[in-house]
Amino acid sequence: MFRNQMPRYEILSADAVAVLDKGWRRIVSEIGIQFAKPEAAELFRKAGQQVDGDVVKLDPEFVLEQVAKAPAEFDVQARNPANNVHIGGDQMVFGAVYGSPFVREGEVRRDATLEDFRKLSMLSQSFPELDSAGGVICKPNDAPLDSRHLDMIYALQTLTDKFYMGNVVSGPNAADTIKMTEILFGGRAAIEATPATISLINCNSPLRWDDRMLDAQFEYCAANQPVVLTPFLLMGAMSPVSIPAALTQQLAEALSGIALAQLIRPGCPVIFGSFLSNIDMQSGSPSFGTPESGIGLLCTGQLARHYGLPFRTGGGLNSSQTCDAQAAYESLMTLLPTFLAGTNWVMHSAGWLEGGLVSCYEKFIVDIELLRMLRVEFTPLEIDEESLAFGAHEYRPLLSSTANYERWLKLGGKDATARASDIVAKKLEEYEQPPLDDSIRAELEDFVTRRRAELGD
Amino acid sequence: MFRNQMPRYEILSADAVAVLDKGWRRIVSEIGIQFAKPEAAELFRKAGQQVDGDVVKLDPEFVLEQVAKAPAEFDVQARNPANNVHIGGDQMVFGAVYGSPFVREGEVRRDATLEDFRKLSMLSQSFPELDSAGGVICKPNDAPLDSRHLDMIYALQTLTDKFYMGNVVSGPNAADTIKMTEILFGGRAAIEATPATISLINCNSPLRWDDRMLDAQFEYCAANQPVVLTPFLLMGAMSPVSIPAALTQQLAEALSGIALAQLIRPGCPVIFGSFLSNIDMQSGSPSFGTPESGIGLLCTGQLARHYGLPFRTGGGLNSSQTCDAQAAYESLMTLLPTFLAGTNWVMHSAGWLEGGLVSCYEKFIVDIELLRMLRVEFTPLEIDEESLAFGAHEYRPLLSSTANYERWLKLGGKDATARASDIVAKKLEEYEQPPLDDSIRAELEDFVTRRRAELGD
């Protein structure tokens, strides 16, 4: 966890915020939002909103009343209390890449496996720059589809002692995640008192929350586990090719999802989510690390603060196929604005490649180095008379040159990717599994075995 | 030229600025600054300052009186008026890498030649992101030492129609640059009225302005040609390992050099220079793209504005040996703060590699792409009701995906460096030399031939 005490870089005028505010109000009240789960529509109907099938037209004031119930800041516990985090305020919390079906290891790009999932979890455990391995750090394609969520949660619980993200593929998967979290943390009451997971609920943009995600959201909100309500916007595909229009749509989607969360369980923790980039308007392919996404990111932070909500944006996003110059600069083109915006929960902080299709081992290391540098850069200078005295050499040592990983940047003779590959091997070799009580481990294993059998895998 | 209308990212409190202000006053008045040219010391002596040999102890108020004579903004003309620039205010002006003895072309690193100098000048002409090829875009090691400044200036004058930097190796070299500029622009009066060059005067830090640089400064200031008075600070070598102390030293050096300029010719244009990074404290080697240099850059901008001066910082600085991930992220770690600070004159904007030892063709292309992206990112959003209307797709097209060079980022199948190599070849093939009046060309050639003979080459 990093406390970002540097100034926020805000680029929206009060007038611009007012225009965007008017915009989402018009969308939710005139067009409405689709909630593809009858229980969701029913909650809105009971609360006096206008429901037509699964489309809900929302009174903006009602939405804001619900949003006001969400806590501005909250804690998430890890099984190692040293790794507990606080979401909101000037805190920044970082998780690794999420959702990639492929991995890249050096020159090889291939299907991700459970072994990759475990190795990437171990790497996430190894680096203090990450507060969480995240959730689906890659998709373990060699594990049976119906039960692989159990394998993933078990790996995150046992190979790391950091908090982890819950599975959101279905309601039952979410329930399994919660059950396993109860086992690890000593029961439902313990995790309802202080959440132990964060889960990603993506909007099926434009303007649609779909059934499987909503099923998962209902489980998590009911258990007081925070969800990140995230409009999934690639401008030119899921939203207009206009940053203001996309920001407006993002507000309509995120705030409506947050309102639902507060109907499920008033006061439950939520995070204003943003995943905002654009497609290439000539090929239609997704682009990351674009200037437009950087601008959107800065605006998103300002808007989330305007509505009093912790927020998620950013990460080491890029469209490159290899861990080359493009991968590096597109990633930093996203990560540096992430720090300028003071993002509270940063997914995809390490390992993202090829538009998120790939979890890359070498890129993971490069991203860790970027995070390390940015933490130094966003630590305020303390300047007083003493800092100018002779002998002030002890003052604020040059962190960038005394702590870099294995001094890999200075080794020369190989390019950065080859050196990163060496670091991966070394870190995996040095990895030590965090200790876990045997009875808890046994209970987790029993649960996984039983559920796997029930699921027929 | 780019007008940066986004907010400046300022991180120094008023108290911190006051501490730094007090610091440079103490250095110039108690320790003094060395000016290794008798005419310089004599100017200070005549102006009532305390001179002991070549060390001048300066009254800070006197320094600020001189600094106040420097224009806050000024124009620099190019032979193509479309390429004229304005230095100061919210304008950002960009030049290519400067001073590298080596070039890298793909896998080959070798001594730079005059042919490289010409090719890099042609590339600089080709890209609108650069306002100038700069000056010593590489060191043409195959041209005779005493007369190579003539070859370089001639190449810059004829292969580009943008403004160029003057040679600063000696007073006579500076005089030759001015003479050739007079020929190109129609006489001394024309370039005294509106300068046509910018020249880099580096401080031999700590606290020493050396004779050769001062000889050049005297020539340029007398001709009303702007000089960039630049403390050359690698923290841990030429300044303390402390950002506040380095900033203080930087102020003492830059302001004293600017005061001298105003004694040479009151009102002559100057630029507050900054070249501020750090050495690796374990190896002693220079490091670039470090967080400390990013912080220093942001502070430098704020301080230059405090003293009412246009300023130079930043560029695509990095320590990498190849155009790899490290080269890219270190460069952006410098270039993005360059835009946040609103730097007026940005040297080393394209092609810098290996701590400035190398001008790299492929890195040149990568940097151009970074500049293109950052220009988009630092263009303010205009948000009004209209921007949210249906059909607003025409609003602010996604520049990042419609204008990229040859769509090279999207070609795939090769890494970014290999693709950059293709762009270099294509751009050199497409290059068109800007037209120049035959009589002017003949006059320039006559001058070069005559001076070359005088110099015995």
Side-chain angles (χ1 to χ4, degrees):
Chain A
M1 197 166 60
F2 173 69
R3 190 163 168 221
N4 183 342
Q5 298 180 82
M6 291 280 271
R8 301 292 168 267
Y9 189 62
E10 302 207 324
I11 63 176
L12 292 173
S13 66
D15 283 351
V17 171
V19 168
L20 299 176
D21 182 73
K22 196 170 162 190
W24 76 261
R25 290 168 181 261
R26 187 171 154 222
I27 291 175
V28 299
S29 60
E30 295 183 19
I31 303 174
I33 307 286
Q34 192 179 14
F35 289 88
K37 179 176 166 73
E39 293 85 344
E42 181 60 15
L43 280 177
F44 281 116
R45 198 192 54 74
K46 277 193 188 152
Q49 303 308 295
Q50 187 190 329
V51 177
D52 181 8
D54 55 6
V55 174
V56 183
K57 291 190 177 169
L58 291 151
D59 170 10
E61 293 306 323
F62 166 81
V63 171
L64 290 181
E65 278 164 29
Q66 302 310 310
V67 166
K69 294 177 185 166
E73 307 184 19
F74 56 86
D75 292 317
V76 177
Q77 60 176 323
R79 74 174 170 93
N80 178 351
N83 292 330
N84 291 349
V85 298
H86 184 76
I87 302 285
D90 58 9
Q91 303 292 343
M92 298 183 72
V93 173
F94 298 90
V97 59
Y98 181 105
S100 319
F102 304 105
V103 294
R104 176 177 281 272
E105 204 170 3
E107 294 297 305
V108 178
R109 179 190 191 274
R110 54 174 171 73
D111 278 1
T113 65
L114 193 51
E115 181 59 18
D116 290 314
F117 190 97
R118 291 186 181 124
K119 283 161 67 179
L120 291 165
S121 298
M122 290 156 68
L123 283 180
S124 301
Q125 174 69 12
S126 300
F127 290 104
E129 284 74 12
L130 292 181
D131 300 290
S132 170
V136 187
I137 190 162
C138 67
K139 288 185 177 153
N141 293 293
D142 57 343
L145 191 60
D146 286 343
S147 64
R148 66 172 62 152
H149 64 288
L150 304 168
D151 301 312
M152 289 191 276
I153 298 296
Y154 179 77
L156 293 168
Q157 290 183 319
T158 54
L159 295 172
T160 84
D161 60 8
K162 301 177 173 182
F163 87 85
Y164 48 88
M165 299 183 70
N167 194 283
V168 293
V169 167
S170 68
N173 282 15
D176 285 341
T177 302
I178 293 167
K179 207 78 196 159
M180 291 176 75
T181 304
E182 290 173 21
I183 295 170
L184 191 64
F185 287 87
R188 177 86 170 197
I191 66 166
E192 287 204 19
T194 307
T197 60
I198 295 178
S199 298
L200 176 65
I201 305 297
N202 278 331
C203 187
N204 192 345
S205 304
L207 307 183
R208 172 185 162 89
W209 293 98
D210 78 14
D211 50 348
R212 290 154 64 97
M213 283 278 172
L214 287 180
D215 288 347
Q217 179 181 350
F218 268 68
E219 294 287 345
Y220 287 118
C221 289
N224 208 39
Q225 301 302 295
V227 287
V228 194
L229 283 311
T230 305
F232 194 105
L233 303 182
L234 296 174
M235 291 181 277
M238 299 85 144
S239 78
V241 189
S242 141
I243 299 172
L247 288 170
T248 301
Q249 180 181 329
Q250 180 176 269
L251 282 168
E253 293 176 349
L255 295 180
S256 67
I258 291 169
L260 173 62
Q262 300 308 316
L263 292 181
I264 298 170
R265 177 169 173 150
C268 73
V270 296
I271 297 173
F272 183 104
S274 171
F275 184 85
L276 174 57
S277 193
N278 55 275
I279 59 162
D280 183 296
M281 292 299 281
Q282 291 182 22
S283 68
S285 67
S287 298
F288 296 98
T290 64
E292 289 82 3
S293 70
I295 295 166
L297 200 167
L298 295 171
C299 295
T300 295
Q302 192 171 348
L303 291 167
R305 281 187 288 277
H306 179 76
Y307 296 102
L309 293 164
F311 69 106
R312 170 239 164 166
T313 57
L317 311 186
N318 67 91
S319 318
S320 188
Q321 294 176 18
T322 61
C323 187
D324 62 355
Q326 181 193 349
Y329 71 66
E330 286 182 348
S331 293
L332 187 54
M333 200 71 90
T334 310
L335 263 185
L336 210 156
T338 302
F339 277 75
L340 286 170
T343 302
N344 300 121
W345 168 228
V346 187
M347 293 179 63
H348 310 305
S349 299
W352 168 294
L353 202 68
E354 209 181 311
L357 285 176
V358 171
S359 296
C360 172
Y361 285 92
E362 291 79 13
K363 176 66 165 31
F364 196 102
I365 303 297
V366 166
D367 288 336
I368 292 288
E369 180 67 8
L370 292 181
L371 291 175
R372 195 183 62 75
M373 292 172 80
L374 288 168
R375 280 171 183 242
V376 177
E377 189 155 333
F378 283 81
T379 299
L381 275 180
E382 284 168 29
I383 299 187
D384 53 27
E385 303 271 338
E386 217 170 299
S387 59
L388 300 186
F390 290 106
H393 293 48
E394 299 306 312
Y395 176 84
R396 191 183 170 116
L398 294 169
L399 297 177
S400 70
S401 69
T402 54
N404 53 3
Y405 289 110
E406 320 299 332
R407 302 184 52 66
W408 72 280
L409 286 183
K410 307 289 182 286
L411 297 178
K414 293 182 180 180
D415 77 5
T417 305
R419 282 172 277 153
S421 193
D422 295 344
I423 305 288
V424 168
K426 191 166 191 310
K427 284 287 168 183
L428 288 176
E429 193 186 305
E430 291 172 357
Y431 167 81
E432 286 181 31
Q433 188 164 8
L436 178 62
D437 187 275
D438 281 344
S439 65
I440 292 176
R441 185 188 299 272
E443 200 178 340
L444 286 170
E445 284 172 3
D446 286 350
F447 180 85
V448 169
T449 305
R450 181 169 57 76
R451 282 291 291 145
R452 200 193 304 280
E454 286 172 11
L455 293 164
D457 284 336
Chain B
M1 196 166 61
F2 173 68
R3 190 165 167 218
N4 182 342
Q5 297 180 84
M6 290 279 271
R8 300 294 168 266
Y9 189 62
E10 302 207 324
I11 63 176
L12 292 173
S13 67
D15 282 352
V17 171
V19 168
L20 299 175
D21 183 72
K22 197 171 158 187
W24 76 262
R25 290 169 181 259
R26 187 172 153 221
I27 292 174
V28 300
S29 60
E30 295 181 18
I31 303 173
I33 308 284
Q34 193 178 14
F35 289 88
K37 178 177 167 76
E39 293 84 345
E42 181 60 17
L43 281 176
F44 282 115
R45 196 191 58 73
K46 277 192 189 152
Q49 303 306 295
Q50 187 189 329
V51 178
D52 182 8
D54 55 7
V55 174
V56 183
K57 291 189 177 168
L58 291 152
D59 170 10
E61 292 307 323
F62 165 81
V63 171
L64 292 181
E65 279 164 28
Q66 301 311 311
V67 166
K69 294 176 185 166
E73 307 185 19
F74 56 87
D75 292 317
V76 177
Q77 59 176 322
R79 74 172 169 95
N80 178 349
N83 292 330
N84 292 350
V85 299
H86 185 75
I87 303 284
D90 59 9
Q91 302 291 343
M92 298 183 72
V93 174
F94 299 89
V97 60
Y98 180 104
S100 319
F102 304 106
V103 295
R104 178 177 278 273
E105 203 169 4
E107 293 299 304
V108 178
R109 179 190 192 273
R110 55 175 170 72
D111 279 0
T113 65
L114 192 52
E115 182 59 18
D116 290 313
F117 190 98
R118 291 186 182 125
K119 281 160 68 180
L120 290 165
S121 298
M122 289 155 68
L123 283 180
S124 302
Q125 175 69 12
S126 300
F127 290 104
E129 284 74 13
L130 292 182
D131 301 288
S132 170
V136 187
I137 190 163
C138 67
K139 287 185 177 154
N141 293 293
D142 57 342
L145 191 61
D146 287 342
S147 64
R148 67 172 61 151
H149 64 287
L150 303 168
D151 301 313
M152 290 191 276
I153 298 295
Y154 180 77
L156 293 167
Q157 289 182 320
T158 54
L159 295 173
T160 85
D161 59 9
K162 301 177 175 185
F163 87 87
Y164 49 87
M165 298 183 71
N167 194 282
V168 292
V169 167
S170 68
N173 282 15
D176 284 341
T177 302
I178 293 167
K179 208 74 199 162
M180 291 175 75
T181 304
E182 289 173 22
I183 295 170
L184 192 64
F185 287 86
R188 176 87 170 196
I191 66 167
E192 288 204 18
T194 307
T197 60
I198 294 180
S199 298
L200 175 65
I201 305 297
N202 278 331
C203 187
N204 191 345
S205 305
L207 307 183
R208 174 186 160 88
W209 293 99
D210 79 14
D211 49 347
R212 289 154 64 99
M213 283 279 173
L214 286 180
D215 287 348
Q217 181 181 347
F218 268 69
E219 294 287 345
Y220 287 118
C221 289
N224 208 38
Q225 302 301 296
V227 287
V228 194
L229 283 312
T230 306
F232 194 104
L233 303 182
L234 296 174
M235 290 182 278
M238 299 82 143
S239 78
V241 190
S242 141
I243 300 171
L247 289 170
T248 303
Q249 180 180 330
Q250 180 176 271
L251 282 168
E253 294 176 348
L255 295 180
S256 67
I258 291 169
L260 173 62
Q262 300 308 315
L263 292 181
I264 298 168
R265 177 168 173 150
C268 72
V270 295
I271 297 173
F272 183 104
S274 172
F275 184 83
L276 175 55
S277 192
N278 56 274
I279 59 164
D280 183 296
M281 292 299 282
Q282 292 183 21
S283 68
S285 67
S287 298
F288 295 98
T290 65
E292 288 83 2
S293 69
I295 295 167
L297 199 166
L298 296 171
C299 295
T300 297
Q302 192 171 349
L303 291 167
R305 281 187 288 276
H306 179 75
Y307 296 101
L309 293 164
F311 70 105
R312 168 237 164 165
T313 57
L317 311 186
N318 68 91
S319 317
S320 188
Q321 293 175 18
T322 61
C323 187
D324 62 356
Q326 180 193 350
Y329 71 66
E330 287 183 347
S331 294
L332 187 55
M333 200 70 91
T334 310
L335 263 185
L336 210 156
T338 303
F339 277 74
L340 286 170
T343 301
N344 301 121
W345 167 229
V346 187
M347 292 179 64
H348 310 304
S349 299
W352 168 295
L353 202 67
E354 209 181 309
L357 285 176
V358 171
S359 296
C360 172
Y361 285 92
E362 291 79 12
K363 176 65 165 31
F364 195 102
I365 303 298
V366 166
D367 288 337
I368 292 288
E369 180 66 9
L370 292 180
L371 291 175
R372 194 183 62 76
M373 292 172 81
L374 287 167
R375 282 171 181 241
V376 176
E377 188 155 336
F378 283 81
T379 299
L381 275 181
E382 284 168 30
I383 300 188
D384 54 25
E385 303 272 338
E386 215 170 300
S387 58
L388 301 186
F390 290 107
H393 292 49
E394 299 306 314
Y395 176 83
R396 192 183 170 112
L398 294 169
L399 296 177
S400 72
S401 70
T402 52
N404 54 2
Y405 288 112
E406 320 299 331
R407 305 185 49 70
W408 71 281
L409 287 181
K410 308 289 182 285
L411 298 177
K414 293 181 180 183
D415 76 5
T417 305
R419 281 172 277 153
S421 194
D422 294 344
I423 305 288
V424 168
K426 191 166 192 311
K427 283 288 168 181
L428 287 176
E429 193 186 308
E430 291 173 357
Y431 167 82
E432 286 182 28
Q433 186 162 9
L436 176 64
D437 186 276
D438 281 344
S439 66
I440 292 176
R441 182 187 302 269
E443 200 178 340
L444 286 170
E445 284 172 3
D446 287 349
F447 180 84
V448 169
T449 304
R450 181 169 57 77
R451 282 290 291 144
R452 199 193 304 277
E454 287 171 11
L455 293 164
D457 285 336

